[in-house]
Amino acid sequence: MKEQYVCYSCETKYYVTEYIWKCKCGGMLDLVKEKITIDISRLQEKPATMWRYIDSMPFKNNSTIWQEVTMGEGYTPLIILDHSEPNTLVKVDYMMPTLSFKDRGAAVLIAKAKEIGVTKVIADSSGNAGTSIAAYASRAGIACDIFLREGTSPKKIAQVKAHGANVRAINGTREDVAKAAQKAVNEEKIFYASHVYNPFFYEGTKTYAYEIWEQMKCAPDALIIPVGNGTLLLGAYYGFKELLENGLITKMPKLIAVQAENCAPLAKAFMNNETFEPVQNNGTIAEGIAIAAPARSVQILEAIHATNGEIITTTEEEIIQARITLAGKGFYVEPTTAANYAGYLKYNHSPSEKIVIPLCGAGIKLS
């Protein structure tokens, strides 16, 4: 059966093609999938990368296309953050080829693009996703245009260009960048390799959950995750749901989302029990989560509610101090990851609660 998308809003279905990226009603597309069956007896035969879970991904039977794209991403270390808190673990996801967790989604999305014959992609990003898409597109022999906001970290722009991608800088907000990319996608008839809109990206980020389960041999009690567009939070939610459906875990971990106080639209809706509305981005050093109008806001909020989770906001001062504190523990991270750690420090938990925190991006990517 040919692969299909389904609209989250109106449930209209579409066959997966190079040019479809959202529903005619404007709704977000998910994948139509059969129930995933996980054969744990075969895992030890698989590579020590995220591709050990390829049987859970939507590729053709016995597909090897990923082998032309992979750079060994995934299966990152899961270690104790501080021995005074042995139940709090960090997953060092900046130990990836392009130094951010976005490689999980980009590797799967670009492998899928190659499988369906795509020759050029367009993506928009605050930095890390663009870098990742550019790197994997280059490896796959696919041309790539990356839309970035003017003022994006020069190091990230340099990294995107180093991979041979064409940078198209946009003057305006992160939302303006997305609109410009989408306009180009529609006018130029190019595959939209969006880490937000394209559901294949989440098939990569869900491996974050699979790895935690395999490394811990259980599900944690809570995941602390920085949230802008929600690509890691939703991926983790989907991954743990599949593990639960397979009887490999007995409960879903609570999803604790962290937003920067200066740009916290999801926190506003969640805390006031309101319908989501975009907010003004008042500027935050945590540029990876500076998203005033996340496209999958409804799905993000539903996932948090479904797991009895919560949303925590952090100030700029707390983010700066958290970055210094993490560096003192040996982890040099981006401000977005520091915001996440600052959120953890404000999270009311018991000493026995098993918590996992992602270290999403390396500090060397930012000055």
Side-chain angles (χ1 to χ4, degrees), residues 275-307:
T275 302
F276 171 83
E277 293 289 343
V279 298
Q280 167 128 8
N281 178 2
N282 293 320
T284 173
I285 57 174
E287 63 181 15
I289 53 174
I291 309 297
R296 292 189 183 266
S297 58
V298 173
Q299 290 167 282
I300 295 167
L301 290 168
E302 285 184 356
I304 295 168
H305 279 294
T307 61

Side-chain angles (χ1 to χ4, degrees), residues 8-80:
Y8 186 77
S9 300
C10 71
E11 298 185 353
T12 298
K13 292 182 179 178
Y14 302 87
Y15 287 119
V16 172
T17 70
E18 186 173 346
Y19 304 118
I20 293 175
W21 60 275
K22 72 174 180 177
C23 182
K24 291 176 182 177
C25 79
M28 305 298 289
L29 298 178
D30 295 319
L31 292 175
V32 175
K33 296 194 295 183
E34 297 178 358
K35 181 183 175 182
I36 300 298
T37 300
I38 303 167
D39 184 356
I40 60 175
S41 67
R42 297 185 57 202
L43 282 180
Q44 297 308 314
E45 305 169 9
K46 302 294 181 68
T49 70
M50 71 177 207
W51 294 101
R52 64 199 284 110
Y53 312 113
I54 189 170
D55 293 342
S56 76
M57 300 177 192
F59 288 95
K60 294 175 183 176
N61 288 339
N62 301 315
S63 173
T64 59
I65 197 77
W66 64 272
Q67 295 177 6
E68 301 176 36
V69 177
T70 184
M71 291 186 279
E73 54 287 330
Y75 223 71
T76 53
L78 183 67
I79 58 178
I80 293 172

Side-chain angles (χ1 to χ4, degrees), residues 308-358:
N308 296 312
E310 60 184 270
I311 303 181
I312 297 169
T313 60
T314 59
T315 67
E316 298 301 289
E317 293 76 17
E318 288 169 339
I319 294 169
I320 291 168
Q321 185 55 53
R323 193 179 187 210
I324 293 169
T325 301
L326 278 175
K329 296 179 185 294
F331 302 104
Y332 187 46
V333 301
E334 283 188 302
T336 299
T337 289
N340 197 43
Y341 180 60
Y344 162 74
L345 294 176
K346 298 171 81 170
Y347 174 53
N348 185 19
H349 64 280
S350 69
S352 62
E353 189 171 356
K354 294 178 181 177
I355 300 170
V356 175
I357 306 171

